[in-house]
Structure formats: structure tokens, C-alpha cells
Amino acid sequence: MMTVSNRDARYNMAYQQIRPWDVFDDQVLDIMQSLPREQFVPHAYRSLAFADTRIPLGHGQVMMEPKLEARMLQSLAVRPSDQILEVGTGSGFVTACLASLGNSVSSFDIYDAFINTAKEKIAMQGINNVHLHLGNAFAAELPREGFDVIAVTGSLPAYNDQCEQFLAPGGRLFMVVGTSPVMEAILVTRHGDEFVEEHLFETDLPLLELLPQPSRFSF
């Protein structure tokens, strides 16, 4: 019986599943093909690595559908010089994608199992511009205006402005807000002291377990 290689499966995922979901950025499509997503999937779900479905990671968290990962990456328009903050390391796959596109990634997760597994998987890919942190990103001492890209990989019940203080001028912030089963992915771009919100698409993600408090900072 003929089997499809992982390389062919990744190609099919990119062009039959991701691209039809309005992902036209060649860099993003290339990253989704070149990084071995199957290596980041829990072993019990390895057969679903390229499927259009979310994959359980434990602790009530999931690995997003490939098309959602790709849409997020495309919306953030990551540049080679970008400093990136990721809230929610999870499987480490999105972390690896961000690191492949940008200058460096600081990624936070509250579960040491996720951090340890991601560290191993990312190292296996020869990626060395990722800094993994165990803890709540919203309680960490982060540099104000220190990040060009912020990716929040869990949902919030409503938009919270706390991340805005960490965005550099021209920076982009992705997050998902709302109540299950219908939430909205939004992109916030900083233009000077102004933050412009763009509504991207509907989706559904598990709630962040340690929610941020409303920001006390203002510009």
C-alpha cells in the first residue's frame, strides 16, 4: 500500500488546507511546510499532525489547527529583525515558526511540562533564538515597548489593553477574544501612540488560565 510521506503531507496541508483559508504569504506557507509539525504533536496524536483539527496537549490546552496557526503568523507579518513575545508556549510549534521568521522569541507558559517538551523539540530543529520562561507573562518584568510582535495563543473573554504597553512603535498584537463557541481573532497595530484594532476572523480557543488585569499604564 502506498503511503504519503511527511514531506508530501506537509505540502498538502499547506496548499489544500491552509492556502484556501486566505493564507497567501509565501514565507508562512514555506515555514508550515519546512518545519516538521509532526515532531511537535504528542505521540498519541501523531496521526493527526496534518489534519484540520485541534490536538489536545493536556491541562485543557490544545494545539491550534494548522490553518489558524498560519493565519495568525500571516497577520503578524513577522520580519527578520522583530523581537517577539509569545504568551502560551504550548507544543512549541508556533514558537518555532515565530523564531524562524523573526529575530528572537521570548515565550512564556505556566506549565513546566510544556516548557520542557518545547525546549527539546525546538533544539532538535537547531533553533537557538528562543528564550523559554516558566510563569505568567502578564506578571513578568517585561520591557516597555520592547516587542515588535506579540502573539497570545489563548483566548480572553474581552479585549485587554495590558499588552499594548509592551508593543514597540509599529508593533503588532494578535489575540482571540470572546465567549465560546464563537470568538474573534483580532490584530492590534501600534501607530505612534494610537492602537488600531482589526477584526480578522471567527474562531474558538481555550481560555487563558491566568488572565491579565486591565493596564494601569497610559501613553
Side-chain angles (χ1 to χ4, degrees):
M1 182 176 64
M2 183 178 296
T3 59
V4 178
S5 70
N6 285 337
R7 179 176 297 181
D8 290 340
R10 289 197 294 270
Y11 178 89
N12 292 338
M13 176 187 71
Y15 286 96
Q16 295 178 11
Q17 179 190 145
I18 293 173
R19 199 173 189 279
W21 217 52
D22 296 332
V23 177
F24 303 115
D25 187 312
D26 288 335
Q27 265 196 311
V28 172
L29 292 170
D30 288 346
I31 288 295
M32 296 297 291
Q33 287 182 82
S34 60
L35 279 177
R37 192 174 193 270
E38 66 276 9
Q39 296 297 323
F40 291 84
V41 174
H43 190 267
Y45 299 99
R46 193 66 57 86
S47 63
L48 299 176
F50 313 110
D52 183 18
T53 188
R54 59 181 55 187
I55 295 174
L57 294 175
H59 302 290
Q61 303 305 302
V62 300
M63 193 173 182
M64 292 182 282
E65 300 94 321
K67 65 186 182 186
L68 179 52
E69 294 169 333
R71 278 291 293 272
M72 177 179 67
L73 293 170
Q74 177 174 261
S75 70
L76 288 168
V78 182
R79 298 174 298 229
S81 60
D82 283 345
Q83 306 295 323
I84 303 165
L85 171 65
E86 182 187 36
V87 182
T89 308
S91 71
F93 178 70
V94 168
T95 318
C97 290
L98 290 167
S100 299
L101 293 166
N103 180 275
S104 70
V105 179
S106 294
S107 183
F108 286 77
D109 206 290
I110 63 172
Y111 293 110
D112 55 358
F114 290 168
I115 292 292
N116 293 336
T117 301
K119 182 178 181 180
E120 176 186 348
K121 301 299 186 184
I122 290 169
M124 287 173 60
Q125 303 309 313
I127 296 171
N128 57 14
N129 58 337
V130 171
H131 308 281
L132 298 174
H133 306 274
L134 177 64
N136 179 6
F138 298 110
E141 293 291 332
L142 297 174
R144 190 170 180 180
E145 301 185 4
F147 298 99
D148 306 291
V149 167
I150 300 177
V152 182
T153 62
S155 66
L156 286 77
Y159 181 69
N160 186 293
D161 66 355
Q162 185 172 348
C163 284
E164 292 179 358
Q165 64 185 295
F166 306 126
L167 267 186
R172 289 86 62 205
L173 161 66
F174 176 94
M175 66 171 57
V176 173
V177 299
T179 304
S180 185
V182 180
M183 303 177 181
E184 193 157 24
I186 63 173
L187 179 72
V188 177
T189 304
R190 180 178 178 183
H191 298 287
D193 291 341
E194 196 175 338
F195 296 86
V196 178
E197 187 176 312
E198 178 185 355
H199 295 257
L200 301 174
F201 54 87
E202 290 185 351
T203 186
D204 189 13
L205 279 180
L207 193 69
L208 281 176
E209 293 194 40
L210 298 178
L211 295 175
Q213 299 302 309
S215 175
R216 296 187 300 273
F217 295 90
S218 59
F219 290 94

